[in-house]
Amino acid sequence: MGIPVFILILILHVSYAQDLCSKEALSRFKEIVNKHYLWKDRIDGVEWGSLDEAIAYLRRKGDRWTAITNIEEDRLWYSKAKMFGIGIRWDDEGTIKRVFKDSPAEKSGLKEGDVILSINGVKDKNLWSQTIRSVPVGGIINIKVKRQENLKEFHIVKGEFSVPPVEEVRIILLDHKKIGYIALTNFTNPAVEEFRKALEFLNSQDVDALLLDLRDNGGGLISVAKSIADMFIRGKGVMFYLEGRNRAPDVYEFKDGEPLFKKPVLVLVNRWTASAAELLTVLLRVYDKAVIAGELTVGKYVGSNMYKLDDCGRVLRLVTFAMKLPNGDNITSDEGILPDCVIKAKNDEGLSMALDCLLKRIFEESSIAQP
């Protein structure tokens, strides 16, 4: 009898603690939102019975960004560019385009080119990321794929893996020009030093221009975007600022001195380019005359702060500020950044078209403009 009674007491204790966390978190959520939320007018007079109900309401009101996350996962991501998950990236057709090195997916045998059919029984591609997030670390994620003509099923243990901020650095020869290429995947703390090293390498190779690939870059830390912008841009006064409620604006000023990179820049974006990635894109366009190629971006001109919700490790990532240029305009609209060269092609074809845009808009037009 001793063991079953002990287990029952333990279960009741855990259940009681979780209930306290839920009540504490909802109360704290309401307090934080009323004090800091950028769009407070959208929630005045509204009450919620649970956190899920609150987040669902914000989604209906157009807030795509506010979320409840785990503090340890957020710390791991922003400080070390590491995540908890399985370690794959797929395209709109469900084809796996990237399997991260040493990730749970790689260790389980998933390969680039596998076509995902379902994740934990879910066939809707729009729900796959959410499905993976809902599984606790150490839990099993079942993925069914088609590999050539064969159907395979993988049982993957959710765990930690790294996402290199700089995914690729190389030199592309284009019409007797040397084009430096950097694919930047995120704006976590490690991105600053990795990007600096990539630029220094391209400088040592005396490239004629840079193609900065920000496709699928969902953003990250504003401070990291500013540090990378500083490698290209110099000036005086305010570069941009963050405007929130009930607080003075956070002002980011230009740095003095010489930039690290002085050659022409083309930025390649797509419909998944967001937030800090959009900020860097706009700063390079406005202050460095960069040319933009690709698709309309996400249109995330707002940013978030994190607040502790409870003692169970949950935090609220709440929209609290808008990113603005010195003239008061948001860095972009809800529709996103309109590229100079609209390119809807993907993968290598999209890259090839971006290079054509760079050649025409930067080299050919600039040579015509010269007397």
Side-chain angles (χ1 to χ4, degrees), residues 84-226:
F84 289 114
I86 58 176
I88 60 174
R89 184 183 296 157
W90 59 82
D91 63 15
D92 292 343
E93 285 71 44
T95 302
I96 296 177
K97 293 300 182 183
R98 178 74 187 273
V99 178
F100 290 100
K101 185 178 179 181
D102 297 326
S103 66
E106 184 186 64
K107 294 173 182 177
S108 297
L110 276 176
K111 296 181 179 180
E112 295 174 4
D114 288 346
V115 179
I116 301 173
L117 303 177
S118 67
I119 298 180
N120 277 359
V122 177
K123 297 180 180 180
D124 186 344
K125 301 177 183 65
N126 297 318
L127 299 177
W128 286 348
S129 294
Q130 177 183 328
T131 300
I132 293 172
R133 285 196 299 268
S134 68
V135 176
V137 175
I140 302 297
I141 297 173
N142 300 307
I143 298 187
K144 291 183 179 180
V145 305
K146 183 178 180 180
R147 180 177 295 172
Q148 297 177 343
E149 299 303 319
N150 300 315
L151 300 181
K152 292 181 174 291
E153 185 169 359
F154 296 86
H155 308 287
I156 305 171
V157 179
K158 182 176 177 179
E160 180 182 309
F161 65 96
S162 296
V163 182
V166 175
E167 191 170 66
E168 185 180 2
V169 182
R170 60 187 167 110
I171 295 174
I172 302 170
L173 297 179
L174 178 68
D175 193 27
H176 307 295
K177 301 288 186 181
K178 293 169 66 175
I179 310 301
Y181 173 83
I182 302 177
L184 182 66
T185 64
N186 62 66
F187 288 81
T188 55
N189 279 325
V192 177
E193 190 57 30
E194 286 194 28
F195 194 85
R196 182 184 302 278
K197 290 178 179 178
L199 271 188
E200 289 174 345
F201 166 73
L202 295 179
N203 275 334
S204 72
Q205 300 301 304
D206 195 25
V207 297
D208 297 292
L210 169 68
L211 196 161
L212 174 57
D213 193 343
L214 295 182
R215 291 177 297 178
D216 301 321
N217 188 319
L221 297 171
I222 301 298
S223 59
V224 172
K226 172 58 165 63

Side-chain angles (χ1 to χ4, degrees), residues 286-315:
V286 171
Y287 299 118
D288 201 36
K289 299 180 180 179
V291 174
I292 313 302
E295 302 173 279
L296 274 172
T297 58
V298 169
K300 186 174 184 286
Y301 61 88
V302 295
S304 308
N305 287 102
M306 286 187 290
Y307 303 89
K308 179 181 175 181
L309 279 180
D310 54 35
D311 291 328
C312 297
R314 286 183 295 181
V315 291

Side-chain angles (χ1 to χ4, degrees), residues 215-276:
R215 291 177 297 178
D216 301 321
N217 188 319
L221 297 171
I222 301 298
S223 59
V224 172
K226 172 58 165 63
S227 294
I228 292 176
D230 286 335
M231 299 180 197
F232 298 89
I233 303 166
R234 288 293 188 270
K236 299 288 184 182
V238 177
M239 182 188 289
F240 68 96
Y241 67 96
L242 312 180
E243 183 176 76
R245 287 179 48 233
N246 305 321
R247 72 182 198 191
D250 296 323
V251 176
Y252 291 78
E253 297 187 339
F254 292 97
K255 278 192 171 184
D256 292 328
E258 291 294 316
L260 179 60
F261 191 84
K262 301 179 183 180
K263 303 293 179 63
V265 177
L266 182 140
V267 184
L268 181 55
V269 298
N270 66 1
R271 63 193 184 94
W272 304 112
T273 304
S275 191

